[in-house]
Amino acid sequence: MARRSILVATGWVATAAVATLIGLGAIRLVGESITGTPGGVRSEAEIERALASPEPVPTGTTGTGSAGPGTASAAPTASSGVRRGFATDGGTAVAECGAGGVRLVSWAPAQGYRVRDVDRGPDDDVEVTFQGSAREYELKVRCIGSEPVAVADD
């Protein structure tokens, strides 16, 4: 009888160990798909490349507004002279100068604002208007030399 008790205890421990391993494997598999980073973890170089070439966002409806731009940063690109970011309280935009003139590469409204109007170019000047409940910001950009520069509304 003692031998039978040892076999039962050993079987119970082995079954518990296998069930625990299966459970941990399932939790790991499901946990990675729920909490994992989409596309995996990115290196610093991959993040810098992604930030250097932002994608355009959808445009809004037409309208006009008042000026209020400020510059953020500049970086040369392979296809043009210079790409530069601009920021207002209403949102941000990235513009670059090229053979056809200046063009808006991307734009994004700040929280509480929406894109009201976009002239993405390429042209002599481009503009994007961000509209909030109390105020409107128009960002107008031209190329001076081969560099995008925010200008006051004409």
Side-chain angles (χ1 to χ4, degrees), residues 49-107:
R49 278 193 302 272
L51 290 174
S53 59
E55 296 294 320
V57 295
T59 61
T61 59
T62 61
T64 59
S66 60
T71 62
S73 63
T77 63
S79 63
S80 68
V82 173
R83 181 177 286 188
R84 174 168 283 162
F86 300 89
T88 70
D89 288 341
T92 60
V94 177
E96 71 179 359
C97 293
V102 65
R103 76 176 184 96
L104 283 177
V105 177
S106 66
W107 53 93

mmCIF file of all heavy atoms in Angstrom, residues 49-107:
data_model
loop_
_atom_site.group_PDB
_atom_site.id
_atom_site.type_symbol
_atom_site.label_atom_id
_atom_site.label_comp_id
_atom_site.label_asym_id
_atom_site.label_seq_id
_atom_site.Cartn_x
_atom_site.Cartn_y
_atom_site.Cartn_z
ATOM 1 N N ARG A 49 14.656 56.986 -38.139
ATOM 2 C CA ARG A 49 14.253 56.914 -39.552
ATOM 3 C C ARG A 49 12.753 57.137 -39.693
ATOM 4 O O ARG A 49 12.301 57.840 -40.593
ATOM 5 C CB ARG A 49 14.629 55.559 -40.150
ATOM 6 C CG ARG A 49 16.071 55.471 -40.584
ATOM 7 C CD ARG A 49 16.322 54.248 -41.456
ATOM 8 N NE ARG A 49 15.974 52.996 -40.796
ATOM 9 C CZ ARG A 49 16.792 52.286 -40.033
ATOM 10 N NH1 ARG A 49 18.025 52.708 -39.832
ATOM 11 N NH2 ARG A 49 16.394 51.160 -39.476
ATOM 12 N N ALA A 50 11.953 56.548 -38.807
ATOM 13 C CA ALA A 50 10.504 56.714 -38.878
ATOM 14 C C ALA A 50 10.094 58.159 -38.620
ATOM 15 O O ALA A 50 9.202 58.682 -39.276
ATOM 16 C CB ALA A 50 9.818 55.781 -37.882
ATOM 17 N N LEU A 51 10.744 58.820 -37.682
ATOM 18 C CA LEU A 51 10.417 60.215 -37.384
ATOM 19 C C LEU A 51 10.891 61.163 -38.480
ATOM 20 O O LEU A 51 10.312 62.229 -38.672
ATOM 21 C CB LEU A 51 11.018 60.622 -36.040
ATOM 22 C CG LEU A 51 10.374 59.981 -34.812
ATOM 23 C CD1 LEU A 51 11.151 60.357 -33.557
ATOM 24 C CD2 LEU A 51 8.926 60.381 -34.681
ATOM 25 N N ALA A 52 11.926 60.788 -39.210
ATOM 26 C CA ALA A 52 12.453 61.649 -40.276
ATOM 27 C C ALA A 52 11.547 61.667 -41.497
ATOM 28 O O ALA A 52 11.620 62.584 -42.306
ATOM 29 C CB ALA A 52 13.848 61.186 -40.678
ATOM 30 N N SER A 53 10.658 60.676 -41.652
ATOM 31 C CA SER A 53 9.782 60.643 -42.823
ATOM 32 C C SER A 53 8.335 60.382 -42.413
ATOM 33 O O SER A 53 7.803 59.319 -42.650
ATOM 34 C CB SER A 53 10.253 59.576 -43.796
ATOM 35 O OG SER A 53 10.250 58.311 -43.162
ATOM 36 N N PRO A 54 7.671 61.392 -41.796
ATOM 37 C CA PRO A 54 6.285 61.195 -41.368
ATOM 38 C C PRO A 54 5.345 61.078 -42.560
ATOM 39 O O PRO A 54 5.608 61.613 -43.633
ATOM 40 C CB PRO A 54 5.981 62.435 -40.549
ATOM 41 C CG PRO A 54 6.990 63.435 -40.940
ATOM 42 C CD PRO A 54 8.187 62.683 -41.435
ATOM 43 N N GLU A 55 4.249 60.370 -42.369
ATOM 44 C CA GLU A 55 3.231 60.183 -43.398
ATOM 45 C C GLU A 55 2.204 61.302 -43.307
ATOM 46 O O GLU A 55 1.887 61.776 -42.225
ATOM 47 C CB GLU A 55 2.529 58.840 -43.192
ATOM 48 C CG GLU A 55 3.451 57.653 -43.372
ATOM 49 C CD GLU A 55 3.952 57.508 -44.789
ATOM 50 O OE1 GLU A 55 3.162 57.717 -45.727
ATOM 51 O OE2 GLU A 55 5.138 57.199 -44.949
ATOM 52 N N PRO A 56 1.605 61.741 -44.455
ATOM 53 C CA PRO A 56 0.556 62.748 -44.399
ATOM 54 C C PRO A 56 -0.694 62.199 -43.724
ATOM 55 O O PRO A 56 -0.969 61.013 -43.785
ATOM 56 C CB PRO A 56 0.265 63.067 -45.870
ATOM 57 C CG PRO A 56 1.158 62.233 -46.687
ATOM 58 C CD PRO A 56 1.966 61.358 -45.789
ATOM 59 N N VAL A 57 -1.453 63.103 -43.098
ATOM 60 C CA VAL A 57 -2.714 62.719 -42.473
ATOM 61 C C VAL A 57 -3.858 63.200 -43.355
ATOM 62 O O VAL A 57 -3.672 64.071 -44.183
ATOM 63 C CB VAL A 57 -2.834 63.312 -41.050
ATOM 64 C CG1 VAL A 57 -1.796 62.724 -40.141
ATOM 65 C CG2 VAL A 57 -2.735 64.803 -41.069
ATOM 66 N N PRO A 58 -5.071 62.676 -43.213
ATOM 67 C CA PRO A 58 -6.200 63.095 -44.043
ATOM 68 C C PRO A 58 -6.483 64.584 -43.903
ATOM 69 O O PRO A 58 -6.277 65.172 -42.856
ATOM 70 C CB PRO A 58 -7.371 62.270 -43.519
ATOM 71 C CG PRO A 58 -6.767 61.144 -42.764
ATOM 72 C CD PRO A 58 -5.428 61.602 -42.293
ATOM 73 N N THR A 59 -7.023 65.179 -44.972
ATOM 74 C CA THR A 59 -7.309 66.612 -44.990
ATOM 75 C C THR A 59 -8.720 66.880 -44.505
ATOM 76 O O THR A 59 -9.562 65.999 -44.465
ATOM 77 C CB THR A 59 -7.146 67.183 -46.409
ATOM 78 O OG1 THR A 59 -8.071 66.506 -47.255
ATOM 79 C CG2 THR A 59 -5.739 67.004 -46.906
ATOM 80 N N GLY A 60 -8.985 68.167 -44.156
ATOM 81 C CA GLY A 60 -10.308 68.577 -43.698
ATOM 82 C C GLY A 60 -11.050 69.345 -44.766
ATOM 83 O O GLY A 60 -10.813 69.176 -45.955
ATOM 84 N N THR A 61 -11.942 70.285 -44.345
ATOM 85 C CA THR A 61 -12.726 71.104 -45.271
ATOM 86 C C THR A 61 -12.056 72.444 -45.463
ATOM 87 O O THR A 61 -11.075 72.758 -44.811
ATOM 88 C CB THR A 61 -14.155 71.292 -44.727
ATOM 89 O OG1 THR A 61 -14.050 71.933 -43.452
ATOM 90 C CG2 THR A 61 -14.872 69.972 -44.599
ATOM 91 N N THR A 62 -12.596 73.300 -46.359
ATOM 92 C CA THR A 62 -11.945 74.565 -46.689
ATOM 93 C C THR A 62 -12.308 75.661 -45.708
ATOM 94 O O THR A 62 -13.327 75.614 -45.046
ATOM 95 C CB THR A 62 -12.344 75.013 -48.106
ATOM 96 O OG1 THR A 62 -13.751 75.198 -48.113
ATOM 97 C CG2 THR A 62 -11.903 74.013 -49.133
ATOM 98 N N GLY A 63 -11.439 76.712 -45.647
ATOM 99 C CA GLY A 63 -11.654 77.852 -44.764
ATOM 100 C C GLY A 63 -10.410 78.706 -44.676
ATOM 101 O O GLY A 63 -9.419 78.436 -45.327
ATOM 102 N N THR A 64 -10.453 79.787 -43.855
ATOM 103 C CA THR A 64 -9.296 80.660 -43.670
ATOM 104 C C THR A 64 -9.102 80.939 -42.201
ATOM 105 O O THR A 64 -9.933 80.603 -41.388
ATOM 106 C CB THR A 64 -9.495 82.001 -44.413
ATOM 107 O OG1 THR A 64 -10.660 82.607 -43.886
ATOM 108 C CG2 THR A 64 -9.581 81.807 -45.911
ATOM 109 N N GLY A 65 -7.996 81.613 -41.855
ATOM 110 C CA GLY A 65 -7.743 81.901 -40.446
ATOM 111 C C GLY A 65 -6.675 82.941 -40.262
ATOM 112 O O GLY A 65 -6.280 83.622 -41.191
ATOM 113 N N SER A 66 -6.147 83.056 -39.038
ATOM 114 C CA SER A 66 -5.110 84.024 -38.719
ATOM 115 C C SER A 66 -3.788 83.339 -38.474
ATOM 116 O O SER A 66 -3.742 82.170 -38.146
ATOM 117 C CB SER A 66 -5.535 84.814 -37.473
ATOM 118 O OG SER A 66 -5.713 83.928 -36.407
ATOM 119 N N ALA A 67 -2.707 84.080 -38.620
ATOM 120 C CA ALA A 67 -1.374 83.483 -38.529
ATOM 121 C C ALA A 67 -0.943 83.281 -37.086
ATOM 122 O O ALA A 67 -1.387 83.983 -36.202
ATOM 123 C CB ALA A 67 -0.365 84.371 -39.249
ATOM 124 N N GLY A 68 -0.026 82.298 -36.857
ATOM 125 C CA GLY A 68 0.516 82.050 -35.540
ATOM 126 C C GLY A 68 1.537 80.938 -35.550
ATOM 127 O O GLY A 68 1.484 80.067 -34.710
ATOM 128 N N PRO A 69 2.486 80.878 -36.525
ATOM 129 C CA PRO A 69 3.425 79.766 -36.619
ATOM 130 C C PRO A 69 4.706 79.976 -35.840
ATOM 131 O O PRO A 69 5.040 81.085 -35.468
ATOM 132 C CB PRO A 69 3.711 79.678 -38.116
ATOM 133 C CG PRO A 69 3.613 81.102 -38.579
ATOM 134 C CD PRO A 69 2.526 81.728 -37.725
ATOM 135 N N GLY A 70 5.448 78.880 -35.643
ATOM 136 C CA GLY A 70 6.780 78.896 -35.061
ATOM 137 C C GLY A 70 7.527 77.665 -35.527
ATOM 138 O O GLY A 70 6.931 76.632 -35.738
ATOM 139 N N THR A 71 8.835 77.722 -35.699
ATOM 140 C CA THR A 71 9.575 76.584 -36.217
ATOM 141 C C THR A 71 9.997 75.653 -35.104
ATOM 142 O O THR A 71 10.133 76.052 -33.968
ATOM 143 C CB THR A 71 10.834 77.049 -36.987
ATOM 144 O OG1 THR A 71 11.664 77.744 -36.074
ATOM 145 C CG2 THR A 71 10.470 77.925 -38.161
ATOM 146 N N ALA A 72 10.212 74.367 -35.474
ATOM 147 C CA ALA A 72 10.621 73.377 -34.481
ATOM 148 C C ALA A 72 11.980 72.776 -34.795
ATOM 149 O O ALA A 72 12.858 72.780 -33.963
ATOM 150 C CB ALA A 72 9.570 72.276 -34.375
ATOM 151 N N SER A 73 12.173 72.224 -36.016
ATOM 152 C CA SER A 73 13.436 71.568 -36.330
ATOM 153 C C SER A 73 13.629 71.474 -37.827
ATOM 154 O O SER A 73 12.693 71.643 -38.587
ATOM 155 C CB SER A 73 13.461 70.156 -35.725
ATOM 156 O OG SER A 73 12.440 69.385 -36.325
ATOM 157 N N ALA A 74 14.846 71.168 -38.270
ATOM 158 C CA ALA A 74 15.128 71.004 -39.687
ATOM 159 C C ALA A 74 16.047 69.818 -39.887
ATOM 160 O O ALA A 74 16.898 69.550 -39.064
ATOM 161 C CB ALA A 74 15.798 72.260 -40.246
ATOM 162 N N ALA A 75 15.861 69.119 -41.027
ATOM 163 C CA ALA A 75 16.719 67.979 -41.355
ATOM 164 C C ALA A 75 16.753 67.795 -42.855
ATOM 165 O O ALA A 75 15.728 67.836 -43.508
ATOM 166 C CB ALA A 75 16.185 66.709 -40.692
ATOM 167 N N PRO A 76 17.932 67.606 -43.470
ATOM 168 C CA PRO A 76 17.988 67.402 -44.905
ATOM 169 C C PRO A 76 17.389 66.053 -45.286
ATOM 170 O O PRO A 76 17.442 65.106 -44.527
ATOM 171 C CB PRO A 76 19.483 67.434 -45.222
ATOM 172 C CG PRO A 76 20.193 67.398 -43.937
ATOM 173 C CD PRO A 76 19.221 67.651 -42.848
ATOM 174 N N THR A 77 16.799 65.998 -46.495
ATOM 175 C CA THR A 77 16.257 64.753 -47.008
ATOM 176 C C THR A 77 16.936 64.412 -48.318
ATOM 177 O O THR A 77 17.537 65.261 -48.960
ATOM 178 C CB THR A 77 14.733 64.862 -47.232
ATOM 179 O OG1 THR A 77 14.502 65.854 -48.232
ATOM 180 C CG2 THR A 77 14.002 65.230 -45.967
ATOM 181 N N ALA A 78 16.795 63.170 -48.752
ATOM 182 C CA ALA A 78 17.453 62.720 -49.972
ATOM 183 C C ALA A 78 16.822 63.341 -51.210
ATOM 184 O O ALA A 78 17.496 63.614 -52.184
ATOM 185 C CB ALA A 78 17.384 61.200 -50.060
ATOM 186 N N SER A 79 15.477 63.598 -51.206
ATOM 187 C CA SER A 79 14.789 64.055 -52.405
ATOM 188 C C SER A 79 14.662 65.571 -52.494
ATOM 189 O O SER A 79 14.169 66.066 -53.486
ATOM 190 C CB SER A 79 13.390 63.429 -52.443
ATOM 191 O OG SER A 79 12.651 63.881 -51.333
ATOM 192 N N SER A 80 15.074 66.338 -51.500
ATOM 193 C CA SER A 80 14.876 67.781 -51.523
ATOM 194 C C SER A 80 15.975 68.484 -50.746
ATOM 195 O O SER A 80 16.895 67.860 -50.246
ATOM 196 C CB SER A 80 13.520 68.102 -50.913
ATOM 197 O OG SER A 80 13.555 67.799 -49.550
ATOM 198 N N GLY A 81 15.833 69.819 -50.644
ATOM 199 C CA GLY A 81 16.804 70.594 -49.891
ATOM 200 C C GLY A 81 16.709 70.336 -48.416
ATOM 201 O O GLY A 81 17.520 69.658 -47.823
ATOM 202 N N VAL A 82 15.638 70.836 -47.789
ATOM 203 C CA VAL A 82 15.505 70.737 -46.332
ATOM 204 C C VAL A 82 14.055 70.425 -45.980
ATOM 205 O O VAL A 82 13.133 70.917 -46.619
ATOM 206 C CB VAL A 82 15.927 72.075 -45.671
ATOM 207 C CG1 VAL A 82 15.651 72.074 -44.190
ATOM 208 C CG2 VAL A 82 17.400 72.351 -45.917
ATOM 209 N N ARG A 83 13.891 69.606 -44.965
ATOM 210 C CA ARG A 83 12.574 69.312 -44.387
ATOM 211 C C ARG A 83 12.563 69.936 -43.002
ATOM 212 O O ARG A 83 13.492 69.761 -42.236
ATOM 213 C CB ARG A 83 12.366 67.811 -44.308
ATOM 214 C CG ARG A 83 11.022 67.417 -43.752
ATOM 215 C CD ARG A 83 10.835 65.938 -43.768
ATOM 216 N NE ARG A 83 10.593 65.489 -45.122
ATOM 217 C CZ ARG A 83 10.248 64.259 -45.445
ATOM 218 N NH1 ARG A 83 10.134 63.356 -44.513
ATOM 219 N NH2 ARG A 83 10.028 63.930 -46.694
ATOM 220 N N ARG A 84 11.491 70.669 -42.678
ATOM 221 C CA ARG A 84 11.432 71.370 -41.391
ATOM 222 C C ARG A 84 10.050 71.217 -40.779
ATOM 223 O O ARG A 84 9.051 71.240 -41.477
ATOM 224 C CB ARG A 84 11.744 72.843 -41.605
ATOM 225 C CG ARG A 84 11.567 73.676 -40.341
ATOM 226 C CD ARG A 84 12.140 75.036 -40.459
ATOM 227 N NE ARG A 84 13.581 74.911 -40.328
ATOM 228 C CZ ARG A 84 14.433 75.831 -40.701
ATOM 229 N NH1 ARG A 84 14.009 76.934 -41.237
ATOM 230 N NH2 ARG A 84 15.719 75.643 -40.538
ATOM 231 N N GLY A 85 10.032 71.083 -39.457
ATOM 232 C CA GLY A 85 8.785 71.004 -38.707
ATOM 233 C C GLY A 85 8.398 72.369 -38.176
ATOM 234 O O GLY A 85 9.254 73.171 -37.808
ATOM 235 N N PHE A 86 7.094 72.644 -38.150
ATOM 236 C CA PHE A 86 6.556 73.903 -37.656
ATOM 237 C C PHE A 86 5.467 73.594 -36.639
ATOM 238 O O PHE A 86 4.748 72.604 -36.784
ATOM 239 C CB PHE A 86 5.962 74.727 -38.799
ATOM 240 C CG PHE A 86 6.966 75.075 -39.861
ATOM 241 C CD1 PHE A 86 7.179 74.235 -40.935
ATOM 242 C CD2 PHE A 86 7.709 76.233 -39.769
ATOM 243 C CE1 PHE A 86 8.110 74.536 -41.912
ATOM 244 C CE2 PHE A 86 8.647 76.549 -40.742
ATOM 245 C CZ PHE A 86 8.850 75.699 -41.817
ATOM 246 N N ALA A 87 5.340 74.442 -35.628
ATOM 247 C CA ALA A 87 4.344 74.201 -34.590
ATOM 248 C C ALA A 87 3.588 75.474 -34.258
ATOM 249 O O ALA A 87 4.166 76.565 -34.219
ATOM 250 C CB ALA A 87 5.021 73.674 -33.331
ATOM 251 N N THR A 88 2.291 75.333 -34.057
ATOM 252 C CA THR A 88 1.440 76.389 -33.527
ATOM 253 C C THR A 88 0.698 75.791 -32.338
ATOM 254 O O THR A 88 0.772 74.585 -32.101
ATOM 255 C CB THR A 88 0.409 76.882 -34.567
ATOM 256 O OG1 THR A 88 -0.549 75.848 -34.778
ATOM 257 C CG2 THR A 88 1.071 77.253 -35.882
ATOM 258 N N ASP A 89 -0.047 76.616 -31.625
ATOM 259 C CA ASP A 89 -0.871 76.082 -30.541
ATOM 260 C C ASP A 89 -1.975 75.183 -31.101
ATOM 261 O O ASP A 89 -2.498 74.330 -30.407
ATOM 262 C CB ASP A 89 -1.487 77.210 -29.714
ATOM 263 C CG ASP A 89 -0.446 77.906 -28.849
ATOM 264 O OD1 ASP A 89 0.632 77.325 -28.620
ATOM 265 O OD2 ASP A 89 -0.714 79.039 -28.400
ATOM 266 N N GLY A 90 -2.323 75.371 -32.386
ATOM 267 C CA GLY A 90 -3.385 74.589 -33.009
ATOM 268 C C GLY A 90 -2.935 73.271 -33.601
ATOM 269 O O GLY A 90 -3.749 72.397 -33.867
ATOM 270 N N GLY A 91 -1.632 73.105 -33.843
ATOM 271 C CA GLY A 91 -1.150 71.856 -34.424
ATOM 272 C C GLY A 91 0.240 72.002 -34.997
ATOM 273 O O GLY A 91 0.876 73.051 -34.884
ATOM 274 N N THR A 92 0.717 70.931 -35.632
ATOM 275 C CA THR A 92 2.058 70.911 -36.200
ATOM 276 C C THR A 92 1.995 70.499 -37.664
ATOM 277 O O THR A 92 1.035 69.864 -38.108
ATOM 278 C CB THR A 92 2.958 69.910 -35.454
ATOM 279 O OG1 THR A 92 2.378 68.603 -35.564
ATOM 280 C CG2 THR A 92 3.128 70.291 -34.002
ATOM 281 N N ALA A 93 3.053 70.856 -38.409
ATOM 282 C CA ALA A 93 3.160 70.475 -39.811
ATOM 283 C C ALA A 93 4.637 70.326 -40.161
ATOM 284 O O ALA A 93 5.504 70.928 -39.534
ATOM 285 C CB ALA A 93 2.513 71.527 -40.704
ATOM 286 N N VAL A 94 4.897 69.513 -41.175
ATOM 287 C CA VAL A 94 6.244 69.328 -41.705
ATOM 288 C C VAL A 94 6.200 69.703 -43.173
ATOM 289 O O VAL A 94 5.340 69.220 -43.923
ATOM 290 C CB VAL A 94 6.731 67.870 -41.535
ATOM 291 C CG1 VAL A 94 8.102 67.690 -42.160
ATOM 292 C CG2 VAL A 94 6.754 67.481 -40.063
ATOM 293 N N ALA A 95 7.129 70.561 -43.601
ATOM 294 C CA ALA A 95 7.200 71.002 -44.992
ATOM 295 C C ALA A 95 8.605 70.781 -45.520
ATOM 296 O O ALA A 95 9.565 70.742 -44.751
ATOM 297 C CB ALA A 95 6.826 72.480 -45.099
ATOM 298 N N GLU A 96 8.701 70.643 -46.850
ATOM 299 C CA GLU A 96 10.018 70.520 -47.472
ATOM 300 C C GLU A 96 10.036 71.264 -48.792
ATOM 301 O O GLU A 96 9.003 71.438 -49.443
ATOM 302 C CB GLU A 96 10.410 69.057 -47.671
ATOM 303 C CG GLU A 96 9.647 68.322 -48.733
ATOM 304 C CD GLU A 96 10.097 66.875 -48.900
ATOM 305 O OE1 GLU A 96 11.025 66.440 -48.188
ATOM 306 O OE2 GLU A 96 9.504 66.179 -49.724
ATOM 307 N N CYS A 97 11.223 71.726 -49.179
ATOM 308 C CA CYS A 97 11.415 72.423 -50.438
ATOM 309 C C CYS A 97 11.982 71.447 -51.458
ATOM 310 O O CYS A 97 12.844 70.636 -51.132
ATOM 311 C CB CYS A 97 12.365 73.603 -50.257
ATOM 312 S SG CYS A 97 11.684 74.905 -49.217
ATOM 313 N N GLY A 98 11.502 71.546 -52.677
ATOM 314 C CA GLY A 98 11.975 70.689 -53.754
ATOM 315 C C GLY A 98 11.936 71.439 -55.063
ATOM 316 O O GLY A 98 11.738 72.663 -55.101
ATOM 317 N N ALA A 99 12.070 70.722 -56.160
ATOM 318 C CA ALA A 99 12.106 71.333 -57.484
ATOM 319 C C ALA A 99 10.803 72.064 -57.817
ATOM 320 O O ALA A 99 10.824 73.099 -58.471
ATOM 321 C CB ALA A 99 12.387 70.267 -58.534
ATOM 322 N N GLY A 100 9.652 71.550 -57.386
ATOM 323 C CA GLY A 100 8.363 72.168 -57.681
ATOM 324 C C GLY A 100 7.960 73.245 -56.702
ATOM 325 O O GLY A 100 6.878 73.792 -56.796
ATOM 326 N N GLY A 101 8.786 73.539 -55.712
ATOM 327 C CA GLY A 101 8.462 74.522 -54.686
ATOM 328 C C GLY A 101 8.329 73.843 -53.336
ATOM 329 O O GLY A 101 8.861 72.755 -53.107
ATOM 330 N N VAL A 102 7.567 74.472 -52.450
ATOM 331 C CA VAL A 102 7.385 73.923 -51.110
ATOM 332 C C VAL A 102 6.166 73.003 -51.114
ATOM 333 O O VAL A 102 5.223 73.217 -51.870
ATOM 334 C CB VAL A 102 7.227 75.060 -50.066
ATOM 335 C CG1 VAL A 102 5.978 75.858 -50.305
ATOM 336 C CG2 VAL A 102 7.275 74.520 -48.656
ATOM 337 N N ARG A 103 6.214 71.944 -50.286
ATOM 338 C CA ARG A 103 5.057 71.063 -50.124
ATOM 339 C C ARG A 103 4.944 70.641 -48.669
ATOM 340 O O ARG A 103 5.953 70.537 -47.969
ATOM 341 C CB ARG A 103 5.130 69.849 -51.038
ATOM 342 C CG ARG A 103 6.083 68.778 -50.597
ATOM 343 C CD ARG A 103 6.008 67.559 -51.532
ATOM 344 N NE ARG A 103 6.858 66.512 -51.026
ATOM 345 C CZ ARG A 103 6.455 65.503 -50.266
ATOM 346 N NH1 ARG A 103 5.188 65.406 -49.933
ATOM 347 N NH2 ARG A 103 7.294 64.599 -49.824
ATOM 348 N N LEU A 104 3.706 70.440 -48.234
ATOM 349 C CA LEU A 104 3.462 69.923 -46.890
ATOM 350 C C LEU A 104 3.624 68.408 -46.923
ATOM 351 O O LEU A 104 2.996 67.727 -47.728
ATOM 352 C CB LEU A 104 2.059 70.278 -46.399
ATOM 353 C CG LEU A 104 1.843 71.704 -45.937
ATOM 354 C CD1 LEU A 104 0.382 71.917 -45.557
ATOM 355 C CD2 LEU A 104 2.743 72.044 -44.772
ATOM 356 N N VAL A 105 4.493 67.891 -46.078
ATOM 357 C CA VAL A 105 4.730 66.455 -45.987
ATOM 358 C C VAL A 105 3.699 65.825 -45.059
ATOM 359 O O VAL A 105 3.134 64.772 -45.342
ATOM 360 C CB VAL A 105 6.161 66.173 -45.474
ATOM 361 C CG1 VAL A 105 6.396 64.696 -45.292
ATOM 362 C CG2 VAL A 105 7.182 66.774 -46.423
ATOM 363 N N SER A 106 3.430 66.472 -43.918
ATOM 364 C CA SER A 106 2.443 65.970 -42.969
ATOM 365 C C SER A 106 1.961 67.116 -42.097
ATOM 366 O O SER A 106 2.598 68.162 -42.016
ATOM 367 C CB SER A 106 3.038 64.859 -42.101
ATOM 368 O OG SER A 106 4.047 65.377 -41.269
ATOM 369 N N TRP A 107 0.810 66.886 -41.430
ATOM 370 C CA TRP A 107 0.256 67.864 -40.507
ATOM 371 C C TRP A 107 -0.634 67.128 -39.524
ATOM 372 O O TRP A 107 -1.167 66.063 -39.827
ATOM 373 C CB TRP A 107 -0.526 68.947 -41.250
ATOM 374 C CG TRP A 107 -1.573 68.408 -42.161
ATOM 375 C CD1 TRP A 107 -2.886 68.204 -41.873
ATOM 376 C CD2 TRP A 107 -1.394 67.970 -43.512
ATOM 377 N NE1 TRP A 107 -3.539 67.663 -42.948
ATOM 378 C CE2 TRP A 107 -2.637 67.516 -43.979
ATOM 379 C CE3 TRP A 107 -0.313 67.917 -44.377
ATOM 380 C CZ2 TRP A 107 -2.828 67.021 -45.261
ATOM 381 C CZ3 TRP A 107 -0.503 67.417 -45.653
ATOM 382 C CH2 TRP A 107 -1.739 66.982 -46.083
#
